[in-house]
Amino acid sequence: QVNTFKTLPNIWGYCFLEEIPGQFGHWQRQPNLPLFVKRNAASVKKAYGKELVWNYELRKFLIQKYWIPAIKNIHTLIKKTDGHDRPVLFWHKANTGGNFPDGKPMYPYDDAQVIDKKTCDGYMAYYVHTRSWFQQYVGHATENKWGFVSQLSHPDFMRAASWQHAIQSVQAPIPG
């Protein structure tokens, strides 16, 4: 088995995909079960123990039962395969603070379930607007002593703030 991670000395850290949980990202536009649930309805229903009704309870079940263990397994594999103790970062879906029409969170999990310092070291933080930057990334990272790196997208359709405001926000001092 070839370990390509060990042969790439210029890599600083790793992310698995971007904007995770992206596979759950269009839930707010779907009144019905998403395709991945429909395709696996029998096994999901068996694990869930009741009828599959598209609501907060089922969203939370899917994330807790399938998504969190899967992402932790992927992060573990990256850590084990790396061989250089480089950081693994969680590239969090931007704007995960939103709610469904039922008022419940779109993504019912806590980042600490994914960023645990054993399998994941912090965020790949993505600036969209000032509120999410300071509450979602800087605040959580500082409070939990997680590292993070970021990109700042220049195209204005990729952020909800002026370029100047975005620059000011990401250059603000970070507490701690």
Side-chain angles (χ1 to χ4, degrees), residues 5-168:
F5 289 140
K6 290 180 181 177
T7 62
L8 300 171
N10 59 336
I11 293 176
W12 176 83
Y14 306 98
C15 282
F16 172 72
L17 297 176
E18 72 174 274
E19 295 202 6
I20 303 185
Q23 66 272 44
F24 298 118
H26 299 289
W27 282 4
Q28 69 273 28
R29 297 188 194 125
Q30 297 181 156
N32 302 312
L33 293 174
L35 188 57
F36 76 93
V37 176
K38 288 178 185 177
R39 285 183 178 161
N40 300 289
S43 62
V44 172
K45 184 177 178 182
K46 183 178 179 183
Y48 188 51
K50 49 182 123 172
E51 287 300 314
L52 301 179
V53 177
W54 195 230
N55 58 23
Y56 173 80
E57 189 178 337
L58 181 57
R59 292 191 308 265
K60 184 172 182 177
F61 170 79
L62 293 169
I63 284 179
Q64 300 298 323
K65 172 77 174 166
Y66 299 108
W67 181 75
I68 289 174
I71 198 67
K72 288 177 77 81
N73 285 340
I74 292 164
H75 286 162
T76 299
L77 179 63
I78 293 169
K79 282 274 192 191
K80 191 184 327 180
T81 307
D82 170 51
H84 294 288
D85 199 30
R86 294 176 209 165
V88 172
L89 302 173
F90 175 48
W91 191 334
H92 187 283
K93 179 153 180 48
N95 292 324
T96 56
N99 291 331
F100 273 84
D102 64 7
K104 302 284 186 170
M106 190 178 308
Y107 302 101
Y109 72 94
D110 185 294
D111 290 339
Q113 293 177 274
V114 176
I115 305 171
D116 62 6
K117 292 297 206 172
K118 289 183 238 156
T119 61
C120 185
D121 302 290
Y123 285 123
M124 166 54 201
Y126 183 85
Y127 178 89
V128 175
H129 52 73
T130 302
R131 182 180 49 85
S132 70
W133 179 253
F134 286 105
Q135 290 177 0
Q136 186 172 325
Y137 296 122
V138 175
H140 286 148
T142 302
E143 179 182 315
N144 293 289
K145 297 181 177 21
W146 297 333
F148 71 96
V149 297
S150 182
Q151 74 175 39
L152 183 56
S153 294
H154 195 263
D156 61 354
F157 69 88
M158 294 182 73
R159 58 190 151 69
S162 71
W163 179 246
Q164 191 60 36
H165 194 94
I167 293 287
Q168 290 170 349

